Amino acid sequence: MANLQKIYSDIDFTFTKKPVTADVALSYDQQAVTRSIRNLLLTNHYERPFNPDLGAGVGALLFEPMNSLTSSQLESTIHTAITNYEPRAILKSVVVSPLLDKNSYGVTITFFLQNATQATTISVILERNR
Amino acid sequence: MAGANSNIQITDLDFNSIKNNLKTFLKSQDTLKDYNYEGSALSVLLDILAYNTQYQAFYTNMAANEMFLDSAIQRSSVVSLAKSLGYTPKSVIAPTATVNIVVNGVNASTPQLVLPSHTQLMSEAINGVNYTFVTTDTMFADTNFATSTATFPNVQIKQGIPASSSILVNNAVNPTSLIEINNSNIDTTTLQVTVQQSSSNSDYQIFNLADSYLTLDGNSKVYFLQEGIDGNYQIYFGDGVLGQQLSDGNIVTVNYISSSGIAAAGANNFVIMNPINGYSNITVSPVVAASQGAAKETIDSIKFHAPKAFAAQKRAVSKEDYINAIQNNNLGYNFDAVNVWGGQENNPPVYGQVMISVKPTGAYTLTQNQKNLLAKDVIEPISMVTVVPTFVDPDYTYLQLTTNVWYDPKKTNLTPNQLQTSIKNAIASYAATSLNTFNSYFSLTDFNKVVSNVNQSIVSNEMEVKIQKKIYPNLGAPTTYNLEFGVPLAKGFFQSSVTSSPAIQYRDATITSSVIDGVFIEEVPSSTGGVDSISVLNPGFNYIAAPTITIKGDGTGATAYAVLSGTNTIKQIVVTNPGTGYTSAIAVVTPAPGDSTGQAGAVQVNLQGRYGTLRAYYNNTSSVKTTLNNNVGTIDYQSGVITLNSFSPIAVDTPLGQLTVTATPTTTLLSSNYNKIITVDPFDSSAIIVNVYAKT
C-alpha cells in the first residue's frame, strides 16, 4: 500500500508492546481490517455481550457433513458476517473449498479496502479441532 | 487526547449507553480510530469495559436500593429494615371458629371431662378441602348427671396442625439460644415457649413474647421473635440484662400451629377426630364460623406498616396510632378496615372517649369477647389513662344497583348473558375495591364509567341506586329501630319510595290468636302537606298589637298567629293548624285593627314534608291491599333516618330472620364516615341487577 495516511488504526490483537515507546502495538489499515475479519469469523453468535447477532458462527458448520452444500453455506455465512459487520471491506469474493483429505475447508476472501486500489486476499484453513 | 468530548458521561446504566459514552470519549483522539467497527480489537475491549461498568453499576444500584425501606425489593432486606424500626412482620394467621362440644352418654364414673388443648377437629369441605382445626386451650366440663352429658361451651378452635421443635441450650455455640422455626405456615400468635430445666429435671417455665423493653430485666421470662433472612421465624432469648439468659442444659420447646391461613375461612361445621375421655358420642355444634385468617404479611404490607408502627412508638395518641395498634394487634385478629374518632365528634358529644369501629375480615362485626380483649390487651396498655375506648359496630348501608345497558350486537361476539355476567362482575369487583371500608364514597358517575368500559359494544347505560338497611328484628318484643341511611331520602309521590323484604308475620291486633302473614312496610303516600312552620324574615317595628297572619295558597285550613316581643316587633309565628293540601303558600302580615303604626313585618311559610309516615300492609285473600297498621314508624327525609316504632313482628319469612328496608336516596354521591360502611352485599343475588338490551 502506497498511501501514507493511515485511515484505520486498531490495537493489535496480540497486545505486544512497541519496542521504542513501550506503548501497546497498533495495527493499521489492511492489517487491522484483515484481523477484524478473522475475529468476526471466529466469533460465534451470542458470544459478545448484548450483541447476539454479531459473529459468523462458522464453528457449528465445521461439524456438518463435509460437502458442497455445507461449503456454500459457509460461504454465505462468511459473506453475510463481513457485509454486516465490516463496512471497511468491500467484499469481492468468498471462496470456500472443502479439503476432503485434510478434513478442513480452505477459505479465500478477497476484498478491497475503502479508498484502496489493490485487492486484499485472506486465505485461511478452517479445521475443527475437537 | 483533550478535546470537547474528553469527559466520559458516567450517569448511564444501560450497556449500549455506556459503550456509546466510551466511543464518544474515543472520538476526541486519533490514535485509535476503529472503535466503531464491531470486529476490531478495540470494539472487543469496549464491550468488556462496558459490560464490566454495567455489571458494577447494577450491583451498586441494587445494593443501594436494598439499603432503604422504600426501594428494597428482597424480602430479607425489607424485614431487616423493618426490624430496625422495631417491627416484626405478621405470620400466617389461623382462622378461628367457636363451637359448642357436647359429650353424650357420660356415666357416673366420670364426674369431670377434660378437653386437652390441640384436640383435633375436621371441618366441612371448603373449596373441596377438609381442614384440620385444633382447640387452643385445655378445658374442663362437669358432667350433668340428669342428662348424662358434659358440655364444653364456646370452645375456640383454630385451623392448623400442631407442630413443635426443641433445642438443648449450649451457650458456647448459640449464646442467645436462637431457634429457627423451619415452617413457613407457622401462626406466631399461637407460639407457646417452655423451658425445661434439664433432661433429668422436668420442671419447666413458660416464656412469653417480649413486647415492651421498658419493663424487662435480667430475670424476665421472655423470648424475642424475628423473621430470619430466609423468611423463617426465629426466636431467641435474653442476655441476662434484657431478659433471662438460659443456662446450658436447658431444653427449649416451641409449640405452635401450622396453618393454611385464610383458605379455611367460612368453615362452620366440624366433627371431632378422637374420643374425649373415652367417649366418642360427641356433638359439635357451630357458634361462630371460622374467620380472621390471613396469609403471611407481604413485602408491601411490611413497607406500609413498619414506619407507621415506629411513628406510633407503642403509644396511642393520635387517630392513626389507634388504627395502627388495632391493625397490628398481637391477638391474631385481622381487620379489613378500622376507623377511629374522638367522642367529641359524636352528636351529642361524648367527651373522654375514643370511638373505634372495626370491620373484621370475613365477618360483619366483632364479638363482645373480641372487643373486650382488644380494649384490655391492645388499647389500654398504650392509651392515655383518661381516654376510654368504646367500640361501635360498623353500620352497613347496602347498595342495590339496577343497571340498564344498551349495546350494539354487531360490535361484540358475546351473548347477552355473557355481557350481563361480565358487567355484573365488573360492578361487583369495583364495589369490592372502592367501597366496603370506612371513609369511602359511592359515585354513580364512576360506576357508570366502569360499566361503559366493560365492552366496546356498550352504547349507553343508566343505573338506578337504592340503599338498604338490614336488621334482625326482636321477634315478638316491641322494639324501636333507628335506621340511619346517612343521606337525604326521596319522597314517594305516586308510589312508595320505601319497601321492605321479605314478608313478615304480625299477630292480628283484634284476634290475637290469629297470625297475619305476608306483611310489608311502605311509605304512606302523601301528595302534599300542610304548613310546618313560619319563620320571621323581618320583625318589623312599632306594632302596638300582634298583627294578623293570613296564609294564602293552594291548600286549605292553615291558621297561625304572631307573638310580639317587648320592643314592638314580631318575635315568632305560632302555627295553630297546619291545614292540608298545600304545595305552595305565602303568609301575609296585616296590622291588627286600630294599629296604625306597625309596619314592615315579613314572614316565610315552611311547608311540611321533612317527615313521612310508614305503614304496614298485607294483601288479603282477595288480593286487596289492606292496611294493618297506619303508623309503624316515621321517615325523616332530610337526615335520612327511618324509625320503626315499637316494631314487633312475630316472624320474618327468611331462615336468618333478616329484614331488609330499601329506600331511595335523593343524591347518587354517597359518602361514609365514622362507623358507616357503604357496601354491595356479595351474598345478595339481587344487589346487582343488570338488564341488557340490544340496540335496534
Side-chain angles (χ1 to χ4, degrees):
Chain A
M1 292 261 303
N3 54 335
L4 292 171
Q5 197 194 352
K6 290 168 177 116
I7 306 173
Y8 306 116
S9 53
D10 190 10
I11 294 177
D12 194 293
F13 270 100
T14 55
F15 282 97
T16 48
K17 68 175 179 183
K18 286 191 230 168
V20 182
T21 58
D23 202 353
V24 67
L26 303 180
S27 58
Y28 298 101
D29 290 349
Q30 201 178 15
Q31 190 191 20
V33 176
T34 309
R35 286 188 173 168
S36 167
I37 288 174
R38 226 181 84 154
N39 185 25
L40 278 177
L41 298 190
L42 296 178
T43 305
N44 286 321
H45 296 305
Y46 292 95
E47 211 169 271
R48 290 281 281 274
F50 299 94
N51 199 351
D53 293 338
L54 187 119
V58 295
L61 286 171
L62 297 182
F63 288 86
E64 295 296 314
M66 183 173 278
N67 52 31
S68 55
L69 191 70
T70 310
S71 61
S72 77
Q73 227 175 332
L74 264 174
E75 262 173 34
S76 85
T77 307
I78 294 168
H79 195 279
T80 314
I82 296 175
T83 323
N84 284 347
Y85 292 105
E86 192 43 86
R88 289 174 291 183
I90 301 166
L91 200 57
K92 194 179 164 212
S93 70
V94 178
V95 179
V96 177
S97 43
L99 308 173
L100 293 169
D101 49 346
K102 289 185 181 166
N103 206 17
S104 58
Y105 293 92
V107 181
T108 310
I109 302 165
T110 312
F111 64 91
F112 287 99
L113 212 57
Q114 297 276 10
N115 273 358
T117 50
Q118 204 179 342
T120 310
T121 304
I122 315 172
S123 291
V124 285
I125 302 286
L126 292 178
E127 186 182 12
R128 63 182 209 197
N129 55 9
R130 69 176 162 85
Chain B
M1 297 266 286
N5 297 318
S6 59
N7 294 327
I8 299 183
Q9 287 282 328
I10 55 162
T11 50
D12 290 296
L13 297 177
D14 169 61
F15 176 84
N16 286 322
S17 312
I18 294 168
K19 195 175 171 189
N20 281 334
N21 290 341
L22 291 171
K23 283 183 186 173
T24 311
F25 171 72
L26 286 173
K27 273 182 195 163
S28 63
Q29 51 83 50
D30 53 8
T31 313
L32 293 162
K33 297 176 191 163
D34 288 358
Y35 44 80
N36 265 333
Y37 305 112
E38 299 293 344
S40 67
L42 196 52
S43 180
V44 176
L45 271 182
L46 289 186
D47 273 349
I48 293 167
L49 275 173
Y51 181 65
N52 194 27
T53 307
Q54 198 223 9
Y55 190 100
Q56 294 292 348
F58 169 78
Y59 184 77
T60 317
N61 207 23
M62 192 193 77
N65 276 347
E66 294 301 313
M67 285 161 68
F68 300 97
L69 192 60
D70 288 325
S71 52
I73 291 168
Q74 296 277 330
R75 184 178 178 97
S76 54
S77 310
V78 174
V79 169
S80 172
L81 290 162
K83 188 177 165 187
S84 64
L85 296 174
Y87 184 82
T88 309
K90 285 184 275 187
S91 69
V92 172
I93 304 287
T96 308
T98 309
V99 291
N100 288 333
I101 297 176
V102 180
V103 184
N104 303 304
V106 182
N107 58 40
S109 63
T110 35
Q112 192 181 51
L113 271 67
V114 183
L115 179 68
S117 67
H118 293 173
T119 301
Q120 297 194 5
L121 294 95
M122 183 68 80
S123 81
E124 61 191 312
I126 303 291
N127 294 328
V129 182
N130 297 89
Y131 290 94
T132 303
F133 279 67
V134 293
T135 56
T136 53
D137 303 306
T138 302
M139 290 180 84
F140 301 91
D142 292 333
T143 304
N144 181 341
F145 294 113
T147 57
S148 301
T149 58
T151 304
F152 297 95
N154 296 323
V155 181
Q156 208 181 52
I157 55 174
K158 283 181 182 283
Q159 190 278 318
I161 298 159
S164 71
S165 56
S166 60
I167 62 156
L168 183 67
V169 173
N170 182 344
N171 281 325
V173 178
N174 185 358
T176 56
S177 305
L178 187 135
I179 304 175
E180 177 152 337
I181 300 161
N182 193 9
N183 185 333
S184 59
N185 291 328
I186 177 179
D187 176 352
T188 56
T189 61
T190 63
L191 267 175
Q192 290 171 339
V193 177
T194 52
V195 177
Q196 190 181 325
Q197 279 300 317
S198 66
S199 55
S200 56
N201 182 348
S202 62
D203 289 351
Y204 69 89
Q205 284 174 320
I206 294 170
F207 277 57
N208 294 312
L209 178 66
D211 54 355
S212 166
Y213 303 112
L214 297 174
T215 53
L216 294 187
D217 60 25
N219 294 317
S220 304
K221 292 181 177 34
V222 291
Y223 66 88
F224 302 92
L225 181 70
Q226 67 181 16
E227 188 180 316
I229 287 177
D230 50 4
N232 286 335
Y233 280 92
Q234 298 171 335
I235 69 163
Y236 57 102
F237 294 84
D239 56 359
V241 180
L242 272 183
Q244 183 178 327
Q245 186 173 28
L246 302 188
S247 315
D248 284 346
N250 285 167
I251 299 168
V252 181
T253 306
V254 182
N255 289 299
Y256 56 90
I257 291 175
S258 167
S259 172
S260 312
I262 201 155
N268 201 19
N269 293 302
F270 304 90
V271 286
I272 199 156
M273 303 301 289
N274 296 306
I276 300 174
N277 286 70
Y279 298 101
S280 51
N281 182 359
I282 301 167
T283 317
V284 181
S285 52
V287 179
V288 179
S291 65
Q292 302 290 349
K296 193 173 182 180
E297 188 166 16
T298 61
I299 295 174
D300 285 339
S301 173
I302 300 170
K303 283 184 176 183
F304 180 76
H305 283 111
K308 289 171 183 60
F310 178 69
Q313 291 283 350
K314 295 217 165 196
R315 289 285 177 272
V317 180
S318 71
K319 178 179 158 179
E320 279 70 29
D321 296 347
Y322 276 93
I323 294 177
N324 264 307
I326 295 167
Q327 286 280 23
N328 298 324
N329 67 80
N330 54 8
L331 300 171
Y333 298 156
N334 239 299
F335 306 123
D336 283 344
V338 179
N339 199 23
V340 172
W341 66 97
Q344 77 280 358
E345 292 180 33
N346 275 13
N347 184 18
V350 188
Y351 296 102
Q353 291 190 11
V354 57
M355 318 305 283
I356 300 163
S357 195
V358 171
K359 181 189 182 304
T361 304
Y364 289 106
T365 52
L366 291 176
T367 63
Q368 191 55 44
N369 187 33
Q370 289 172 328
K371 288 178 193 170
N372 293 346
L373 277 174
L374 268 177
K376 189 171 134 293
D377 292 350
V378 176
I379 299 165
E380 278 169 12
I382 58 168
S383 68
M384 282 183 277
V385 283
T386 53
V387 178
V388 182
T390 306
F391 282 90
V392 186
D393 280 336
D395 182 10
Y396 293 89
T397 302
Y398 299 90
L399 294 173
Q400 193 185 37
L401 306 171
T402 311
T403 310
N404 295 322
V405 175
W406 283 264
Y407 76 104
D408 186 347
K410 288 179 201 140
K411 287 189 181 164
T412 180
N413 52 9
L414 294 180
T415 65
N417 274 342
Q418 287 170 331
L419 188 64
Q420 194 177 27
T421 309
S422 51
I423 294 172
K424 213 169 175 174
N425 291 344
I427 296 176
S429 128
Y430 187 71
T433 51
S434 69
L435 302 172
N436 209 19
T437 182
F438 300 105
N439 300 321
S440 64
Y441 70 93
F442 167 83
S443 157
L444 183 62
T445 321
D446 288 354
F447 272 74
N448 277 333
K449 268 186 218 156
V450 168
V451 174
S452 53
N453 287 338
V454 168
N455 193 290
Q456 56 178 6
S457 66
I458 294 172
V459 179
S460 168
N461 68 79
E462 63 171 13
M463 194 181 275
E464 188 195 14
V465 183
K466 297 229 174 199
I467 48 180
Q468 299 179 323
K469 286 281 174 186
K470 299 186 178 181
I471 54 169
Y472 293 90
N474 264 342
L475 300 179
T479 312
T480 297
Y481 302 90
N482 273 321
L483 312 179
E484 294 181 13
F485 287 82
V487 283
L489 299 179
K491 190 172 185 174
F493 283 104
F494 302 108
Q495 57 184 15
S496 166
S497 74
V498 175
T499 55
S500 75
S501 112
I504 46 180
Q505 296 176 21
Y506 250 92
R507 205 170 284 286
D508 194 320
T510 45
I511 315 154
T512 49
S513 60
S514 107
V515 169
I516 302 170
D517 198 358
V519 177
F520 295 93
I521 294 167
E522 67 168 13
E523 183 186 16
V524 177
S526 60
S527 54
T528 49
V531 173
D532 183 52
S533 65
I534 299 176
S535 42
V536 178
L537 293 180
N538 186 343
F541 53 88
N542 288 345
Y543 285 109
I544 299 166
T548 313
I549 305 294
T550 317
I551 297 167
K552 296 180 175 177
D554 52 0
T556 52
T559 53
Y561 65 88
V563 178
L564 286 189
S565 70
T567 54
N568 297 340
T569 56
I570 301 171
K571 185 181 166 193
Q572 69 172 101
I573 311 290
V574 178
V575 177
T576 44
N577 183 350
T580 54
Y582 287 95
T583 61
S584 74
I586 56 164
V588 180
V589 184
T590 318
D595 180 358
S596 57
T597 55
Q599 57 182 292
V603 295
Q604 179 186 301
V605 178
N606 304 316
L607 291 178
Q608 282 177 343
R610 179 174 172 175
Y611 299 99
T613 313
L614 290 172
R615 68 180 175 192
Y617 73 91
Y618 64 99
N619 294 321
N620 68 11
T621 45
S622 35
S623 294
V624 174
K625 194 187 243 188
T626 312
T627 303
L628 177 74
N629 183 342
N630 219 357
N631 188 355
V632 289
T634 57
I635 312 166
D636 183 341
Y637 295 106
Q638 198 173 317
S639 56
V641 179
I642 288 183
T643 309
L644 296 171
N645 291 318
S646 302
F647 185 58
S648 62
I650 57 166
V652 179
D653 291 352
T654 174
L656 292 172
Q658 190 184 51
L659 178 72
T660 304
V661 179
T662 308
T664 314
T666 56
T667 166
T668 50
L669 185 65
L670 314 176
S671 64
S672 69
N673 50 15
Y674 301 126
N675 64 331
K676 302 271 191 300
I677 291 181
I678 304 174
T679 186
V680 174
D681 193 347
F683 303 108
D684 183 357
S685 58
S686 63
I688 303 171
I689 296 170
V690 176
N691 305 312
V692 293
Y693 304 101
K695 197 185 104 184
T696 49

